[in-house]
Amino acid sequence: MRVALRDIKARIDATKKTMQITKAMEMVSAAALNRAEQNAKRFVPYMDKIQEVVSSIASGSKSARHPMLLSRPVKKTGYFVITADRGLAGAYNSNVLRHVFRTIKERHQSPDEYAIIVVGKVGLNFFKSRNMPVLDSITGLADQPSFADIKAIASKAVNLYANETFDELYMYYNHFVSAIQSELTEKKVLPLADFDGASTSTASYEYEPSEEEILEVLLPQYAESLIYGALLDAKAAEHASRMTAMRNATDNANELIGQFTLTYNRERQAAITQEITEIVGGVAALE
């Protein structure tokens, strides 16, 4: 019985230490979430303005044409997938990876028909373990990434489309809704066919030197900004998911401690009762 009590006490101590770790991780994720949410919100006005300018040119001029605006026969599809570098974030990674994997299997019969660009070690390991074609990847991003951190991979994704390595590019990530909710998002990045709010803008622009030359510079920047904006959004969702997961783990650990403590007290009481019974029995035998 004493061995059982010792084992239960050890489990209580171990669970308390685990709860301290999950509580600390929850607090770290909560602080990171606050900054990530602010970063994502601060990027929105820039995206709105650049989208307004691109929309004005693309929809208001018949002469302005650019390959990134025109659809072409699809021989190969690109997938830009945003995941995290580590787990302990609930279903954050698995939701995206499961959806992308299922989508690829439904759309394509051969690995020659698609290529993957992935952000995050979890996604990279997932696709490599299944021998799926990964053209490029980036891992080890900071919790609050700057545009310079992802400039190279975003530019490569855009250039691969421009060079016709693939003929369309889809992006998959978790969209941050709130601290307790995120939404799996699929967005077609290239070709740039749809511009929301193009007809609602009342601003008037004069372009110098020409609309075509402006598009030549602005459209790649716009596509790269779409990727960076999605990454900021996904980072906020990642921190929120990890914070929620760690909070749930802390609550579960606290519940386990209560159960172990109750079991410990019962076993201890049973041991005391048994000792008293043995003492009474021994006295009775002497009489």
Side-chain angles (χ1 to χ4, degrees):
M1 188 64 66
R2 290 178 180 176
V3 175
L5 288 175
R6 196 159 53 238
D7 289 344
I8 296 172
K9 187 66 167 61
R11 295 188 69 179
I12 291 174
D13 292 340
T15 306
K16 284 182 177 179
K17 292 178 181 178
T18 300
M19 186 173 69
Q20 291 175 349
I21 295 172
T22 57
K23 185 65 176 178
M25 293 180 67
E26 177 190 346
M27 295 175 65
V28 170
S29 295
L33 169 61
N34 185 47
R35 290 185 58 194
E37 187 176 1
Q38 292 177 2
N39 290 339
K41 287 181 178 179
R42 280 198 295 262
F43 192 70
V44 170
Y46 169 78
M47 281 303 304
D48 289 343
K49 179 54 67 175
I50 192 173
Q51 185 179 46
E52 179 184 320
V53 175
V54 172
S55 299
S56 177
I57 301 175
S59 60
S61 173
K62 296 181 179 179
S63 61
R65 288 292 181 265
H66 191 278
M68 292 176 65
L69 296 172
L70 303 175
S71 298
R72 58 181 183 242
V74 178
K75 300 176 182 177
K76 195 168 188 176
T77 302
Y79 294 92
F80 195 101
V81 185
I82 301 176
T83 64
D85 284 314
R86 58 189 187 275
L88 300 178
Y92 174 83
N93 292 304
S94 60
N95 282 346
V96 172
L97 294 174
R98 185 168 54 246
H99 180 75
V100 173
F101 183 77
R102 183 171 61 248
T103 300
I104 289 175
K105 292 302 180 183
E106 289 174 354
R107 291 180 181 174
H108 308 289
Q109 302 296 323
S110 167
D112 297 330
E113 297 177 358
Y114 67 93
I116 300 169
I117 298 174
V118 60
V119 175
K121 189 178 296 182
V122 175
L124 178 60
N125 293 337
F126 176 88
F127 293 122
K128 280 192 171 182
S129 67
R130 289 160 177 79
N131 296 318
M132 302 175 76
V134 177
L135 282 183
D136 198 8
S137 64
I138 184 170
T139 61
L141 282 178
D143 285 340
Q144 315 298 332
S146 65
F147 182 73
D149 295 332
I150 61 96
K151 167 67 175 174
I153 194 169
S155 296
K156 183 171 182 178
V158 174
N159 288 333
L160 286 171
Y161 174 83
N163 297 335
E164 300 189 11
T165 300
F166 45 72
D167 304 297
E168 59 182 357
L169 177 63
Y170 287 89
M171 182 164 55
Y172 296 84
Y173 64 98
N174 282 297
H175 164 59
F176 174 78
V177 178
S178 68
I180 59 173
Q181 182 183 1
S182 61
E183 292 179 352
L184 175 61
T185 300
E186 174 184 332
K187 180 180 292 185
K188 189 173 185 178
V189 180
L190 294 168
L192 298 166
D194 299 322
F195 296 99
D196 298 329
S199 61
T200 62
S201 175
T202 58
S204 177
Y205 298 97
E206 292 184 4
Y207 302 102
E208 180 67 31
S210 69
E211 294 176 344
E212 290 80 1
E213 291 177 88
I214 292 174
L215 282 180
E216 192 71 30
V217 175
L218 199 58
L219 284 179
Q221 292 181 0
Y222 175 64
E224 293 169 9
S225 297
L226 285 176
I227 295 173
Y228 180 56
L231 181 62
L232 292 179
D233 194 1
K235 275 293 183 182
E238 177 190 345
H239 296 313
S241 296
R242 184 165 289 110
M243 181 186 70
T244 301
M246 291 301 99
R247 180 184 298 141
N248 292 338
T250 301
D251 293 342
N252 291 339
N254 193 44
E255 184 178 344
L256 280 175
I257 290 171
Q259 295 175 358
F260 289 148
T261 301
L262 181 60
T263 302
Y264 178 84
N265 290 336
R266 286 176 177 172
E267 293 294 337
R268 184 168 177 270
Q269 186 61 47
I272 294 172
T273 302
Q274 183 177 353
E275 289 179 2
I276 293 174
T277 302
E278 290 174 353
I279 292 172
V280 171
V283 172
L286 290 175
E287 294 177 353

